[in-house]
Structures are given as structure tokens and as C-alpha cells.
């Protein structure tokens, strides 16, 4: 019935998370509350690293896309697990460095990195920049020249693959703000230009076709196209680029009926496609990279809320309001993301009550889930939204001047605060008289 392996129901009928009673956690830390399962995060990292060991002789970097969930505690876990890190802003880079994450395992993404961010990355001696466009290439070369530094870069390529996912999270096709297209010769021109840049070393190519993808076929297709392009570059320029990053995007289970591919199987299929394409092109196997976010932390998180007002509109629907909403999870409001919800107090009971679960923001679109089945709710119940580990805390806001919830990490039956709850004072920190 529930969507992640770390969820259960105890003898009192309460929802458990990593073996702990969620009602006890709600009571101790308050609601809304983000809960993250450190053990499951580590397990997911290891599954990916082990799979590359098994299927690709370990000739790979597994990066965590920190935009899915970035805070010091999470970056520390990633560092300890031997992961690499993908950052997309100065703020994510700052967080990682503050956590002691090794700069030489960080790469910097983004379609419009600011001057300050480029310099910050350079000064921090990160592993490489994933250059998105020719404007960035020019500026990076200029800054590197000014500082007399040699900088490793990748290019972000649009392979022209349709990833069969929501249009807001689909990024591989030509009509995307990210990267350089193959179809119109943009990518080819960028490669030629980069090879002329004295302070830049073109180390490899990158693509990321989208997110929440259940089908491995588009990944295999993208790998094929990217390796064909690597072979073309070798023919045209006599340069063999030795690195290829195929991005993230592996789907996770939000609803019980979702059927994501296991992480190990994702890597088996991906490496199989890479090997076949290299074989066909007579191209040496590149050092591979991936950078999943959602599939590492998504299933490892839930959010707890307290049920407040319940408003039945006869013949229409029943609104169940909770003490959080779009400020801590804007994903339904943004793109109607599905979630599984449950009343944690009676998690073992059948979910036979149809509810539209809404937040407390002054916005009709402040909806966590519409027409969803939960146990019949009562004011004061704890309501859990499942699989919220990715793109919830990282997308949260202070809309309506609502302080952000705390985040608690659970490991081996123990809980600790990873991010403390914001206070009203925090909201005023930057206000000037
Ligand atoms: C968002 C993003 C990722 C991570 O995607 P997930 O779906 O969370 O795995 C990886 N790479 C890039 C470039 C991204 O934009």
C-alpha cells in the first residue's frame, strides 16, 4: 500500500518511518516536518556505485544532483559515500563547500551562470563546468585567461530525445532552454570553438533528457546519440573526448501503481547501451557519469502535517486543510505531481475517504493533492505525504511569511535535526528599518 521500503505500520496502527513512530516524531519536532531516512539515502548511493562496479568496472562517477535537496547534512552524507556532486548555483556550491565536500568532485551546471558564480567555481577549484552556451564559453575563457588558469569543461548537449515525461521536466529536445542542439549544428560549432580556447580543456560531453522517467529506452537512445557525436568529433578534429555524463532523471514511485526501474537495473541497461554504441562506433568506452537527484533522496523522505479545518462541500468535494502546503511543497501547484497521502494515526486502515488536501496559503492553487484517497481524517490527525525527499525542501518558499519546516534525519532508529525550523526572526533577518 505504501510507496517506500522504509515505511510501515506499528502495533498501534501508526505510520512508521525508518522504524520510528511518525506520531512521536511529529510530537517531538512539530509539524510541518520533513523527515529524511539517512540509511535509505546511503543505500541508494551504494546501489548506484556498486552497479557501476559490476557492469562498467567502476569507470564512472556517480554525482548527486544537489538541487533535489541541498543542505549541509545531506552534502556530508554524499561526501562520505564517495559521491560526486552536481551544483547549479553559487548557493549550492557554498553549501557543499561548507559541508567539507571536496571541490575536485564538484561540477557546476546552469544555463545562465552569473559572473560571480563562474569566478566562485574557478576560485574553489571545482572539477569542471558544464558549459551551456557559447556566451558562457566566451566568458569562462576570458576569466580563466585573466587568472591564467586551465579549466576543465563539458558541453551540455540536447540530444533531441523525447523522454516521455511532463513538459516542464523534459529537457532533451531542441526546444529547451538548456544546452546546445545537435540538429542545427550548434553543438558542433561549440566544440570547434572550445578546441580553440587556450584556457579551457574540453573533457567531455553531458546530456540530461528530463526527470521522473520510467522507461530506460530514451536513456539508451540518448547514449547512442552522444557516442555517435563523440565519434564524429574524433573524425573531425582528431580529438577523443574521454568522458560522458548522461545526467539524471530516473523515476521513483509516488503512487503504489508506479513501477520504476530498480537502480541496479537502470545502470545495467545504461551501461549496456553505452557499450553497444561504442562497439558500433569503434569508440573507446568513456568514463561515464550520471547525476541523479530524485531517485537518491525522493523515496527517502516524507512530510508530516497536522490536519486542521475539514470543509465538506456537499456533492462537490471535501477539503482537508493542513498546516503546510505549497510553501513547503509547491510541486502539485507547479505541475500536478501525484503523491500518496495517509493519515499517520490510522495508517493500517483502508484509505476509503476521498479528499482534496490543501495548505494554508492564500492561494486557491495551494493544493497538495486533489481527489486523493486517505483514511477518514479528523482535526488533529497527522497527515503524511510520502516520497517528498526530492524537490520539496529545495523548492520551498516563505510565501505568506510562513517559516520553513524543520528537517529531521533518521538513522538506525535515531532522529536528529538536520535543518532547524525557521522562526519569525529568521523571516526578518534581512529586513531593513
Ligand atoms: C535536475 C537535473 C538532474 C537531476 O534530475 P533527477 O530527476 O532529480 O534525477 C540532473 N542533471 C541535471 C542537469 C538536472 O537539471
Amino acid at each position: 500500500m505504501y510507496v517506500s521500503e522504509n515505511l510501515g505500520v506499528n502495533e498501534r496502527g501508526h505510520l512508521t518511518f525508518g522504524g520510528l513512530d511518525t506520531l512521536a516524531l511529529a510530537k517531538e519536532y512539530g509539524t510541518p516536518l520533513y523527515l529524511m531516512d539517512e540509511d535509505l539515502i546511503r543505500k541508494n548511493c551504494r546501489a548506484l556505485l556498486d552497479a557501476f562496479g559490476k557492469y562498467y568496472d567502476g569507470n564512472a562517477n556517480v554525482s548527486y544532483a544537489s538541487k533535489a535537496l541541498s543542505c549541509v547534512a545531506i552534502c556530508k552524507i554524499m561526501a562520505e559515500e564517495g559521491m560526486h556532486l552536481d551544483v547549479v548555483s553559487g548557493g549550492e556550491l557554498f553549501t557543499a563547500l561548507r559541508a567539507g565536500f571536496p571541490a575536485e568532485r564538484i561540477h557546476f551546471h546552469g544555463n545562465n551562470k552569473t559572473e560571480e558564480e563562474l569566478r566562485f567555481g574557478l576560485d574553489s577549484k571545482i572539477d569542471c563546468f558544464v558549459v551551456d552556451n557559447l556566451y558562457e564559453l566566451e566568458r569562462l575563457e576570458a576569466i580563466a585567461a585573466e587568472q591564467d588558469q586551465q579549466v576543465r569543461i563539458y558541453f551540455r548537449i540536447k540530444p533531441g530525445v523525447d523522454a516521455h515525461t511532463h513538459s516542464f521536466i523534459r529537457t532533451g529536445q531542441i526546444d529547451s532552454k538548456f544546452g546546445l542542439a545537435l540538429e542545427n549544428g550548434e553543438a558542433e560549432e561549440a566544440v570547434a570553438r572550445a578546441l580553440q580556447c587556450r584556457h579551457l580543456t574540453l573533457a567531455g560531453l553531458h546530456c540530461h533528457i528530463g526527470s521522473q522517467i520510467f522507461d530506460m529506452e530514451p536513456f539508451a537512445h540518448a547514449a547512442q546519440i552522444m557516442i555517435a557525436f563523440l565519434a564524429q568529433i574524433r573524425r573531425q578534429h582528431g580529438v577523443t573526448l574521454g568522458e560522458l555524463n548522461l545526467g539524471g532523471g530516473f523515476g521513483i514511485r509516488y503512487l503504489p501503481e508506479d513501477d520504476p526501474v530498480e537502480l541496479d537495473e537502470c545502470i545495467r541497461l545504461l551501461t549496456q547501451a553505452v557499450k553497444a554504441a561504442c562497439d558500433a562506433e569503434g569508440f573507446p568506452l568513456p568514463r561515464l557519469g550520471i547525476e541523479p537527484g530524485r531517485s537518491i533522496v525522493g523515496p527517502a523522505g516524507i512530510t508530516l502535517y497536522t490536519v486542521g479545518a475539514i470543509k465538506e462541500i456537499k456533492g462537490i468535494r471535501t477539503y482537508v486543510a493542513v498546516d503546510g502546503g505549497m510553501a513547503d511543497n509547491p510541486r502539485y501547484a507547479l505541475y500536478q505531481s501525484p503523491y500518496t497521502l495517509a493519515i499517520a494515526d490510522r495508517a493500517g486502515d483502508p484509505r476509503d475517504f476521498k479528499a482534496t488536501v490543501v495548505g494554508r496559503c492564500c492561494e486557491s492553487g495551494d493544493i497538495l493533492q486533489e481527489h486523493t484517497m486517505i483514511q477518514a481524517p479528523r482535526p488533529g490527525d497527522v497527515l503524511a505525504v510520502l516520497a517528498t525527499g526530492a524537490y520539496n525542501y529545495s523548492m520551498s518558499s516563505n510565501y505568506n511569511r510562513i517559516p520553513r519546516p524543520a528537517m529531521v534525519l533518521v538513522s538506525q532508529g535515531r532522529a536528529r535535526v538536520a535543518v532547524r525550523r525557521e522562526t519569525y526572526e529568521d523571516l526578518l533577518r534581512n529586513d531593513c528599518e
Side-chain angles (χ1 to χ4, degrees):
M1 161 170 162
Y2 293 123
V3 294
S4 298
E5 62 192 66
N6 61 340
L7 296 168
V9 180
N10 66 16
E11 66 289 346
R12 300 173 70 189
H14 299 172
L15 181 69
T16 62
F17 179 81
L20 295 178
D21 188 315
T22 55
L23 290 198
L25 290 167
K27 195 161 178 190
E28 181 168 357
Y29 298 102
T31 60
L33 183 67
Y34 297 116
L35 291 178
M36 294 300 305
D37 183 339
E38 178 175 342
D39 302 337
L40 184 52
I41 295 172
R42 290 184 187 274
K43 185 178 164 196
N44 289 339
C45 293
R46 286 171 202 176
L48 291 164
L49 288 162
D50 289 351
F52 274 112
K54 204 159 49 168
Y55 303 121
Y56 206 68
D57 291 333
N59 186 22
N61 302 334
V62 179
S63 298
Y64 166 63
S66 67
K67 75 174 197 259
L69 173 61
S70 170
C71 65
V72 168
I74 296 291
C75 288
K76 280 192 167 151
I77 293 171
M78 297 303 161
E80 285 169 13
E81 291 300 325
M83 301 285 281
H84 287 231
L85 202 72
D86 149 16
V87 301
V88 298
S89 72
E92 286 183 2
L93 177 56
F94 187 79
T95 306
L97 295 174
R98 187 55 69 82
F101 200 96
E104 66 273 14
R105 283 196 257 147
I106 298 177
H107 61 274
F108 205 141
H109 264 294
N111 69 304
N112 192 26
K113 304 172 190 78
T114 66
E115 179 86 12
E116 186 207 340
E117 287 174 329
L118 292 174
R119 288 181 187 276
F120 184 19
L122 224 72
D123 292 346
S124 307
K125 304 260 185 296
I126 61 169
D127 175 47
C128 77
F129 288 86
V130 182
V131 172
D132 179 272
N133 54 68
L134 288 173
Y135 174 62
E136 181 184 341
L137 185 76
E138 248 169 54
R139 287 190 317 146
L140 195 56
E141 166 68 9
I143 300 171
E146 170 199 308
Q147 302 192 358
D148 199 22
Q149 281 204 49
Q150 197 63 32
V151 180
R152 275 165 43 86
I153 64 165
Y154 277 41
F155 274 123
R156 172 142 185 188
I157 306 294
K158 294 187 253 200
V161 170
D162 183 351
H164 313 296
T165 186
H166 193 289
S167 65
F168 284 14
I169 50 176
R170 195 193 303 148
T171 49
Q173 72 289 358
I174 186 163
D175 183 6
S176 163
K177 74 165 182 170
F178 299 105
L180 300 149
L182 283 173
E183 285 107 307
N184 56 11
E186 214 173 36
E188 218 180 302
E189 189 200 334
V191 168
R193 296 263 290 269
L195 294 174
Q196 304 297 316
C197 291
R198 288 191 23 234
H199 296 87
L200 305 182
T201 306
L202 181 59
L205 298 179
H206 173 279
C207 69
H208 170 73
I209 56 175
S211 203
Q212 186 58 5
I213 303 168
F214 283 128
D215 177 3
M216 287 306 288
E217 209 286 320
F219 285 105
H221 190 196
Q224 210 172 27
I225 290 168
M226 296 296 283
I227 287 160
F229 187 44
L230 286 171
Q232 181 193 327
I233 292 169
R234 185 173 62 170
R235 283 194 301 276
Q236 282 176 344
H237 302 284
V239 174
T240 305
L241 303 182
E243 300 173 35
L244 175 63
N245 189 315
L246 294 170
F250 307 142
I252 65 163
R253 179 174 289 124
Y254 283 107
L255 302 176
E257 61 266 32
D258 288 340
D259 190 19
V261 183
E262 298 267 340
L263 292 177
D264 181 90
E265 183 66 1
C266 286
I267 303 310
R268 189 182 73 79
L269 292 169
L270 202 63
T271 51
Q272 184 181 305
V274 166
K275 287 183 204 164
C278 284
D279 225 25
E281 298 285 347
F283 195 82
L285 288 180
R287 180 161 184 88
L288 272 187
I290 55 165
E291 50 189 21
R294 187 190 313 272
S295 52
I296 294 174
V297 292
I302 67 173
T303 309
L304 302 181
Y305 302 94
T306 300
V307 173
I310 298 172
K311 195 171 285 182
E312 184 186 353
I313 306 177
K314 285 249 181 305
I316 300 185
R317 64 167 103 199
T318 302
Y319 284 102
V320 177
V322 297
D323 56 354
M326 66 184 289
D328 61 78
N329 180 2
R331 294 191 66 251
Y332 188 86
L334 271 176
Y335 27 65
Q336 293 80 52
S337 308
Y339 282 103
T340 300
L341 281 60
I343 297 294
D345 304 64
R346 295 177 294 286
D349 291 1
R351 290 180 300 153
D352 52 9
F353 185 92
K354 189 188 269 191
T356 290
V357 178
V358 298
R360 50 181 295 223
C361 286
C362 296
E363 197 73 50
S364 294
D366 176 17
I367 296 172
L368 284 173
Q369 205 63 204
E370 268 185 295
H371 309 305
T372 188
M373 299 307 290
I374 56 176
Q375 292 83 3
R378 300 171 201 152
D381 280 346
V382 171
L383 182 142
V385 179
L386 311 182
T388 57
Y391 306 111
N392 274 233
Y393 174 73
S394 65
M395 282 189 164
S396 64
S397 77
N398 288 128
Y399 183 50
N400 286 180
R401 287 254 160 182
I402 295 173
R404 284 186 182 78
M407 186 194 305
V408 163
L409 274 182
V410 166
S411 174
Q412 294 173 4
R414 309 246 291 236
R416 66 183 167 101
V417 176
V419 180
R420 67 170 173 74
R421 186 176 299 281
E422 283 182 348
T423 64
Y424 291 144
E425 286 299 332
D426 291 329
L427 297 176
L428 297 188
R429 203 169 43 218
N430 299 319
D431 286 20
C432 304
E433 288 294 319

